[in-house]
Amino acid sequence: AGYYFSWASMSNDGFYSRDPSYDVDETSVFGKLAFSPDERSEAMVSVNSVTSDNSLPTSLPVVGGQLLSDIEPGFDRRSNINLPTASFHQEELRLTSSYSRELGAGVSFTNTFGYRDIQYKFEESGDIIGAPFDLIANTLMMYPFSLQTDEEVYYEEARLALGAVPGGLDDELLVGASYERTTGFRAGDLIYTDAVTFGIPLDFLDPVVPQRSDWEYDPFGGDEYSLGSLGLYFQYQLAPVARVELTASGRYDRLRMENAETFQTGQPDIDATFEAFSPKVSALLRVLEAAEAGRLGAVDVNLYATYSEAFKPPRTPSALNVAGTDPPLDPEDIASYEVGVKTALADGRARFAATYFNMTRDGIVVSTRQGPFFLPSNAGGQDFQGLEGEAAWGPTSALTLAGNAVFYYNRFGDFVIQTSGGDTDLTGNRLPLVPDRIFNLGASLEPIEDVGLTAGLKRVGDRFVDQLNVLPLDAYTLLDASVWWSPGPVRVTVSARNLLDHRYFTSGDTSLAESVEIGAPRQLAISVSFTND
């Protein structure tokens, strides 16, 4: 039996602005109890509670493909012109339990149960800003809103594993079923003073928010939704000849969605059902096994290949609308394959892996922003392919070095967004926010007992913020580090992100390139955990 408990808290005043009223506060508590009811079974119960309150900084406006801070020096790139009351609040409670039991030789049963209670609340947030811009009058448009979502999620999964029996075949069969039930309510208000744009015009050099008596409200949402997801799956693994393992698996999913639009006359109740079978096959070839030790010590070399299919419903339950309100949307089809090699050298102290992957998504549903509104439509396909490589080496028991490199070629396939104002052809464009190169280097060191240090360096290549490939974002480098001290069952960790306080951009308006999001500045976090094994 054993138990684990941790508590973590993070606070960062003046996160994005010189004004200390803009801050981030987060508290997380996690506890886990593992025990064995008898010699043939194991059980686990865990609870995790997170409460987070965050300020909502506005994006950095982009006008004609240029940062507003570059066009107008009087506008600070870290300026936060959001409403003074803007905030994002999140509460989440997670409960998880699992029970597994050996039923006989090579036969085991596992049951998992999960529960989540979640609340997301945007309070009078004007973090969405954009056109129309007027550089002479120094104005832009803010699109404020309030939105609260409350959800409860129940998850149940049971599976039976039939493993290899001594003296019998090496085949293994896994069968299982899962059911997830999500219920929730979502409602909010658009806040505006301009009835044409449904926004609030602001002077970005001297942002004075109109008094509340001038605010207008347009309620949206009122969605009382539910999702019932049933999954049936199997996995069959066999070794037809020495050094070769084959796996065939599949999953049948049936999703039942319902949504009652409580704000609409008559409170219409809409439902939709989606179902699909998703297959997956893979093969593993053990070229060299550890038992065949050479001058480099024990060596493992494995080659593998995998092919799989999946699907994605075109809407979430809360996005179901009355028939005829929106154009009909089809589910998205996903197909992917990958091939790779994994190698372990020097009795496992050195590792190397390389993978090539290719994935296509067809029938993607996109949301195009028009003012404060996001309009969905089926548009086409996207192609993802790339090569990933990673290596790790432990020259001593106290030092570990690791690194990986990723080379992507992710592009729009045949992709046309059809709107009443005309078609937008994105065929061949780079995908928004996806770099072609990512590099990581990391190290961990334990110089003395109960003390450790880690460091990580990440290099992210350039990318476009928007689907039209109008606004490029520069490459950036981040340095993260941490130090921990573990006297007995207590462990204290101090970690830093973006230690050099590097300026970078993470995301932005992927539809129209009217804004970008500034990456987090240097952050410090302290966590304390207690464990007893």
Side-chain angles (χ1 to χ4, degrees):
Y3 58 89
Y4 174 86
F5 174 79
S6 71
W7 168 85
S9 179
M10 181 180 74
S11 180
N12 195 335
D13 291 336
F15 192 167
Y16 281 91
S17 171
R18 289 186 292 267
D19 184 344
S21 64
Y22 298 112
D23 58 11
V24 176
D25 293 293
E26 181 173 307
T27 302
S28 174
V29 179
F30 176 77
K32 177 180 177 180
L33 173 65
F35 57 97
S36 299
D38 55 47
E39 294 182 353
R40 303 180 63 181
S41 62
E42 295 180 351
M44 181 276 294
V45 178
S46 68
V47 58
N48 185 202
S49 175
V50 177
T51 301
S52 178
D53 288 285
N54 297 270
S55 292
L56 289 169
T58 46
S59 306
L60 177 56
V62 175
V63 185
Q66 291 183 279
L67 302 179
L68 182 58
S69 56
D70 293 341
I71 300 174
E72 174 50 69
F75 183 81
D76 191 314
R77 65 183 177 88
R78 291 196 184 277
S79 295
N80 189 347
I81 58 176
N82 207 332
L83 303 179
T85 53
S87 68
F88 174 71
H89 176 78
Q90 177 179 345
E91 295 180 17
E92 185 164 349
L93 173 65
R94 299 185 183 186
L95 302 174
T96 305
S97 66
S98 67
Y99 174 79
S100 60
R101 183 174 183 82
E102 296 293 332
L103 301 179
V107 181
S108 63
F109 171 79
T110 302
N111 186 83
T112 302
F113 172 78
Y115 170 77
R116 296 174 66 189
D117 188 353
I118 315 166
Q119 181 183 84
Y120 305 105
K121 184 188 295 184
F122 292 88
E123 298 177 332
E124 296 182 346
S125 173
D127 60 301
I128 299 177
I129 54 177
F133 297 103
D134 189 332
L135 297 181
I136 297 177
N138 299 328
T139 60
L140 50 71
M141 194 64 64
M142 172 189 287
Y143 298 99
F145 70 99
S146 292
L147 175 64
Q148 179 171 329
T149 302
D150 294 276
E151 277 191 352
E152 284 189 309
V153 183
Y154 297 87
Y155 179 80
E156 174 71 26
E157 179 185 15
R159 64 179 184 267
L160 185 67
L162 308 175
V165 178
L169 299 176
D170 291 332
D171 300 6
E172 295 183 5
L173 175 64
L174 176 72
V175 293
S178 66
Y179 182 76
E180 180 176 324
R181 176 70 176 176
T182 301
T183 59
F185 185 78
R186 167 182 170 272
D189 292 287
L190 297 178
I191 303 171
Y192 64 95
T193 59
D194 184 346
V196 176
T197 62
F198 277 87
I200 296 178
L202 282 183
D203 183 333
F204 53 77
L205 294 181
D206 184 21
V208 177
V209 178
Q211 56 187 356
R212 283 180 175 271
S213 59
D214 295 332
W215 291 9
E216 300 287 343
Y217 298 88
D218 183 26
F220 68 91
D223 302 300
E224 190 174 280
Y225 58 89
S226 66
L227 166 67
S229 176
L230 172 66
L232 305 174
Y233 60 89
F234 77 93
Q235 176 178 291
Y236 181 56
Q237 182 175 306
L238 69 158
V241 295
R243 299 179 181 268
V244 175
E245 293 181 8
L246 302 178
T247 303
S249 59
R251 180 182 176 95
Y252 166 79
D253 287 285
R254 186 177 189 275
L255 284 73
R256 168 78 174 182
M257 302 180 181
E258 294 184 79
N259 184 33
E261 296 189 324
T262 62
F263 287 177
Q264 302 297 322
T265 303
Q267 298 187 347
D269 197 343
I270 311 102
D271 62 79
T273 300
F274 302 94
E275 55 185 349
F277 177 76
S278 304
K280 179 179 180 180
V281 293
S282 62
L284 173 69
L285 173 62
R286 301 187 183 279
V287 180
L288 200 61
E289 296 183 307
E292 304 169 18
R295 278 185 286 179
L296 295 176
V299 178
D300 276 308
V301 179
N302 298 320
L303 301 177
Y304 70 92
T306 300
Y307 174 80
S308 62
E309 295 180 5
F311 87 111
K312 181 180 178 181
R315 297 184 186 276
T316 59
S318 61
L320 291 177
N321 293 321
V322 177
T325 304
D326 294 323
L329 300 176
D330 298 319
E332 177 185 330
D333 294 318
I334 305 169
S336 66
Y337 69 87
E338 65 178 70
V339 293
V341 57
K342 293 185 177 181
T343 302
L345 309 171
D347 299 320
R349 289 187 293 110
R351 302 187 306 276
F352 169 78
T355 301
Y356 169 79
F357 68 89
N358 187 295
M359 181 179 73
T360 58
R361 298 174 57 190
D362 188 39
I364 293 174
V365 176
V366 296
S367 294
T368 303
R369 186 170 72 83
Q370 295 184 10
F373 304 102
F374 292 84
L375 307 180
S377 65
N378 278 114
Q382 294 178 348
D383 299 321
F384 300 78
Q385 56 181 314
L387 179 65
E388 300 180 356
E390 62 179 69
W393 177 41
T396 70
S397 59
L399 176 64
T400 300
L401 304 174
N404 73 338
V406 182
F407 302 90
Y408 291 135
Y409 187 82
N410 300 330
R411 300 294 187 268
F412 285 97
D414 293 330
F415 206 100
V416 179
I417 301 176
Q418 298 178 335
T419 66
S420 57
D423 294 348
T424 301
D425 190 348
L426 304 179
T427 303
N429 283 8
R430 290 177 62 177
L431 300 182
L433 307 175
V434 179
D436 282 347
R437 305 285 188 273
I438 300 178
F439 301 98
N440 288 284
L441 293 174
S444 64
L445 175 66
E446 297 183 28
I448 59 176
E449 187 177 3
D450 300 333
V451 175
L453 302 93
T454 65
L457 189 69
K458 176 189 285 286
R459 175 69 174 178
V460 178
D462 61 0
R463 60 256 185 256
F464 284 99
V465 72
D466 63 304
Q467 58 194 8
L468 296 174
N469 289 182
V470 171
L471 180 61
L473 297 179
D474 293 335
Y476 64 89
T477 303
L478 296 179
L479 175 63
D480 300 335
S482 69
V483 58
W484 57 265
W485 175 53
S486 182
V490 177
R491 184 183 181 109
V492 180
T493 303
V494 179
S495 57
R497 174 170 170 77
N498 192 8
L499 187 61
L500 302 180
D501 202 21
H502 184 74
R503 166 190 145 164
Y504 66 104
F505 302 100
T506 58
S507 60
D509 177 10
T510 58
S511 296
L512 306 175
E514 292 181 351
S515 63
V516 293
E517 303 291 343
I518 301 176
R522 180 167 45 235
Q523 297 181 56
L524 297 177
I526 300 175
S527 65
V528 180
S529 61
F530 178 84
T531 185
N532 180 29
D533 294 324

